[in-house]
Amino acid sequence: MQRRLSLYDRAMADGGMTTVSGTPGIISAGLYFSELPDIRDLEKLVREKLLSFDALAGRPVSGRWQPCAFEFDKHVFHHECADEQGLLAFAQSTMQLPLQNAANGPWWEMHLCTTVDPS
């Protein structure tokens, strides 16, 4: 049986927490690593751990979390920024954009960013 949406989930799904751009403003996080994890390890982590949560493996449909198809390449993106300032500007602008594949998969994205200048 699919889990019902919580009051918070329902507000997000109904657009009660949506910014002007149409992207739900729930959680945005930036994690810094000295180097990005191997893409195969990251995909394994996503498939085995993250997708075990109904809210990350599906999208809200008729008041319940509905499982949906997941394609790693449509939810995990790689970018390169010139430096730390470029990274900050990228993060600020990307958080304001609608999800690229909300209609065809779970309602989340992961953006992997590297900088050319490691300072």
Side-chain angles (χ1 to χ4, degrees), residues 56-77:
L56 295 175
R59 61 178 170 263
V61 176
S62 301
R64 296 192 180 275
W65 285 109
Q66 178 71 42
C68 57
F70 174 77
E71 294 180 55
F72 186 80
D73 294 341
K74 290 187 177 182
H75 293 275
V76 180
F77 307 96

Side-chain angles (χ1 to χ4, degrees), residues 20-76:
V20 174
S21 70
T23 299
I26 303 300
I27 299 172
S28 295
L31 305 174
Y32 287 84
F33 297 94
S34 57
E35 62 183 78
L36 289 175
D38 179 82
I39 197 72
R40 292 170 302 231
D41 293 338
L42 184 59
E43 184 169 2
K44 182 178 179 186
L45 175 77
V46 167
R47 291 189 184 283
E48 293 180 4
K49 303 295 183 187
L50 292 182
L51 295 180
S52 68
F53 294 94
D54 54 4
L56 295 175
R59 61 178 170 263
V61 176
S62 301
R64 296 192 180 275
W65 285 109
Q66 178 71 42
C68 57
F70 174 77
E71 294 180 55
F72 186 80
D73 294 341
K74 290 187 177 182
H75 293 275
V76 180

